[in-house]
Amino acid sequence: MADRKALNHELSKLFNEMWDMDVNRFAPGKDYAIELQGKADAVQQGDSAARHLFHYVNEERLKNTKTFATFISLLDNYETSTGVEEVVTPEEIAENNCFLDAILMTGVMKLAHQYLVKKKLAKPKLVDFKYQLYDIWFQLYPRKEGDRPDSCGFEHVFVGETRHGKQILGLHNWVQFYLQEKHKQIDYKGYIARKNKTRPDRDDQVLSIQFSWKGSVKPIGSNFIGVSPEFEFALYTVIFLLSEERVTRETVKIEEYELQIVVCRHGRHIGTAYPVLLNTNNED
């Protein structure tokens, strides 16, 4: 279970300002629609959902929103099996830079940058902040001691990885989930309920779900739904830079959601990062 830590009011305030500023966020029922179907059983791991989680997503808007479009171009750049060396081409480096340039133009990222500058955790120049983000998110490292450089923070959190073809690591991003589901790589198995709520709503923008990907089951994973890539990037970067700990858990309230944001560091880089919806029956 997640440790019950006191609510971090300062971060809650910042993240709510970022949430309100997130003009690229997709609105439930308008830009996308989900079908929650049945409640998943984390122990049995049966299938409580015959259909996809995403019933509809406005692909035009994904294509025409710069941060989403540049984000999607990064998703196919990774070899998802850990232990297999990643090869980074000059085109991929250019795509990483395009994505960072796009998110650094947004109000959400600027707000995060201002906050970090105030805390003396980032340099005031955007170009320096960009280098810092590149290092945190895109620098390759070995996921396991002795392996070749086979992973980076971006791949783990946003793309997902598999270990020995059995265990799913990461994959906490709704756009990747939607695209993998569309390509029949993901099978959504149902939702995990919050204790004080019998079932989530179609409009909930944080969900705990169970799914299988490339044949392996992830018994429980929490995802933001509909948020922009810059929102998640900003949120995880702030928590990462505020702490030197190997694992940091911050309890925050964003909108109506009481969350614990978990960020694990791998040296100077992000190892993993994800939200945990508090009051769910079981947490990862």
Side-chain angles (χ1 to χ4, degrees):
M1 289 297 272
D3 307 331
R4 276 317 227 160
K5 267 182 74 176
L7 190 70
N8 186 321
H9 292 285
E10 183 181 310
L11 285 181
S12 297
K13 182 173 174 289
L14 173 71
F15 295 157
N16 277 294
E17 282 170 20
M18 285 178 359
W19 180 273
D20 292 341
M21 215 176 239
D22 192 11
V23 292
N24 290 332
R25 185 169 67 248
F26 275 39
K30 178 172 158 253
D31 300 310
Y32 71 89
I34 56 174
E35 275 193 90
L36 289 155
Q37 300 161 77
K39 183 174 164 182
D41 185 329
V43 184
Q44 296 290 332
Q45 299 189 358
D47 199 336
S48 308
R51 294 177 306 283
H52 284 180
L53 171 63
F54 283 96
H55 176 62
Y56 159 77
V57 171
N58 182 343
E59 292 209 354
E60 262 326 278
R61 191 172 171 206
L62 278 181
K63 276 197 211 74
N64 296 323
T65 306
K66 188 111 201 255
T67 59
F68 277 112
T70 53
F71 174 75
I72 290 167
S73 75
L74 302 183
L75 294 176
D76 59 4
N77 288 348
Y78 293 94
E79 162 56 62
T80 58
S81 171
T82 62
V84 178
E85 190 163 8
E86 290 290 351
V87 179
V88 184
T89 66
E91 293 81 55
E92 288 172 8
I93 291 171
E95 286 176 344
N96 293 343
N97 279 308
C98 268
F99 169 67
L100 289 176
D101 288 339
I103 66 172
L104 285 168
M105 297 297 291
T106 64
V108 170
M109 252 351 243
K110 285 181 175 156
L111 199 62
H113 182 224
Q114 284 160 7
Y115 176 82
L116 291 166
V117 168
K118 222 166 36 206
K119 294 273 180 199
K120 303 209 170 4
L121 293 168
K123 290 183 177 154
K125 277 199 176 130
L126 268 185
V127 63
D128 292 322
F129 186 45
K130 181 183 160 182
Y131 286 132
Q132 189 179 14
L133 289 174
Y134 199 104
D135 193 43
I136 292 170
W137 286 99
F138 291 108
Q139 199 54 53
L140 289 177
Y141 55 79
R143 181 110 342 237
K144 214 164 94 258
E145 209 62 49
D147 274 355
R148 294 181 287 274
D150 61 354
S151 185
C152 68
F154 179 85
E155 176 181 17
H156 184 91
V157 175
F158 294 103
V159 185
E161 304 173 289
T162 54
R163 182 177 286 156
H164 313 309
K166 289 191 185 64
Q167 192 190 356
I168 300 175
L169 310 171
L171 211 169
H172 295 287
N173 178 260
W174 75 272
V175 178
Q176 170 70 337
F177 189 99
Y178 162 68
L179 294 172
Q180 290 291 309
E181 192 174 56
K182 194 176 136 184
H183 296 138
K184 310 225 173 344
Q185 293 281 328
I186 274 184
D187 179 13
Y188 168 63
K189 304 221 175 265
Y191 65 86
I192 313 279
R194 275 194 271 175
K195 280 207 185 76
N196 56 353
K197 197 171 180 178
T198 46
R199 59 173 292 147
D201 296 331
R202 289 193 308 261
D203 292 349
D204 280 359
Q205 292 205 275
V206 188
L207 288 180
S208 284
I209 53 179
Q210 189 183 90
F211 61 92
S212 70
W213 182 48
K214 300 183 176 182
S216 311
V217 173
K218 176 130 188 169
I220 177 165
S222 295
N223 291 35
F224 283 104
I225 309 286
V227 299
S228 69
E230 58 267 30
F231 178 80
E232 289 189 85
F233 242 71
L235 185 83
Y236 299 142
T237 301
V238 164
I239 290 179
F240 175 80
L241 288 171
L242 280 173
S243 164
E244 297 281 308
E245 299 293 317
R246 210 184 68 72
V247 180
T248 305
R249 300 171 187 273
E250 286 293 356
T251 303
V252 293
K253 192 159 192 282
I254 305 176
E255 278 285 287
E256 76 207 65
Y257 310 107
E258 204 176 317
L259 305 170
Q260 191 169 77
I261 310 293
V262 182
V263 177
C264 305
R265 68 166 49 237
H266 200 288
R268 295 200 325 271
H269 319 297
I270 281 190
T272 185
Y274 54 90
V276 174
L277 202 45
L278 294 177
N279 307 324
T280 45
N281 292 328
N282 28 25
E283 278 134 13
D284 168 29

